[in-house]
Amino acid sequence: MKSEAVIADFKDAFRRSVACWQSIFDEGRYGTEYAIITPEEGVVFGIQPERYAAMVALYEAYEAVKNICDMGSYDLSLCTAMRDALDLEDNTRITVEEMQTLGQVVGVTYREAFAMFYKVHFAEIRSGLIRFKDESSVEGIS
């Protein structure tokens, strides 16, 4: 499949994902843990509510393209083709720059991709999923 066709197919799948997330949010639900947003996160990361479904869909798409996690929203062969088209690595090492690259393809700004990347990153630190080398526990972090 040529890169242009891969990107077009991926954009279509992404638009469906955004619509799905928007319907979840419109119903007052939040979905998975990375989709939950606190009022403080909205302020700190400058998240516009009307753009949040696309930001969450980007995070989900990035994990699928990177072959980290598939939430069932994407055809995995399309994700592999997209990873190749964008020359992204197939591993669990994530970078904000890669997420921004994917964001540019699907219409999510650099700022929005950056905000979503670090929103999730800091949520994982607060939850104890990520620890720093000099921490024996994450007590007191909420």
Side-chain angles (χ1 to χ4, degrees):
M1 195 184 294
K2 291 195 176 202
S3 279
E4 299 85 26
V6 167
I7 291 171
D9 288 350
F10 194 85
K11 284 180 177 181
D12 288 342
F14 182 80
R15 281 190 282 274
R16 289 190 299 274
S17 181
V18 171
C20 180
W21 279 109
Q22 190 60 57
S23 70
I24 288 170
F25 297 151
D26 289 348
E27 293 171 5
R29 299 181 297 134
Y30 290 98
T32 60
E33 67 279 350
Y34 61 85
I36 296 170
I37 185 167
T38 66
E40 295 82 7
E41 287 173 327
V43 171
V44 167
F45 293 107
I47 296 170
Q48 301 299 312
E50 66 275 5
R51 295 287 300 154
Y52 192 57
M55 293 169 68
V56 172
L58 175 64
Y59 185 80
E60 181 180 66
Y62 180 61
E63 284 203 332
V65 167
K66 287 287 287 182
N67 200 24
I68 295 169
C69 179
D70 170 35
M71 304 300 273
S73 301
Y74 292 90
D75 174 309
L76 295 182
S77 63
L78 178 60
C79 289
T80 299
M82 189 66 176
R83 185 171 56 245
D84 292 344
L86 297 180
D87 197 29
L88 303 180
E89 294 181 30
D90 177 8
N91 61 30
T92 57
R93 183 176 179 276
I94 61 171
T95 69
V96 68
E97 293 84 8
E98 282 186 342
M99 193 163 157
Q100 288 173 319
T101 296
L102 182 59
Q104 287 295 290
V105 171
V106 296
V108 176
T109 68
Y110 283 115
R111 180 180 295 275
E112 291 167 336
F114 183 92
M116 192 64 192
F117 184 91
Y118 284 105
K119 176 217 166 309
V120 172
H121 184 73
F122 281 102
E124 289 174 345
I125 291 169
R126 287 192 312 272
S127 73
L129 290 173
I130 295 175
R131 289 192 195 165
F132 295 93
K133 289 181 181 181
D134 61 349
E135 294 176 332
S136 58
S137 73
V138 288
E139 283 186 41
I141 297 176
S142 60

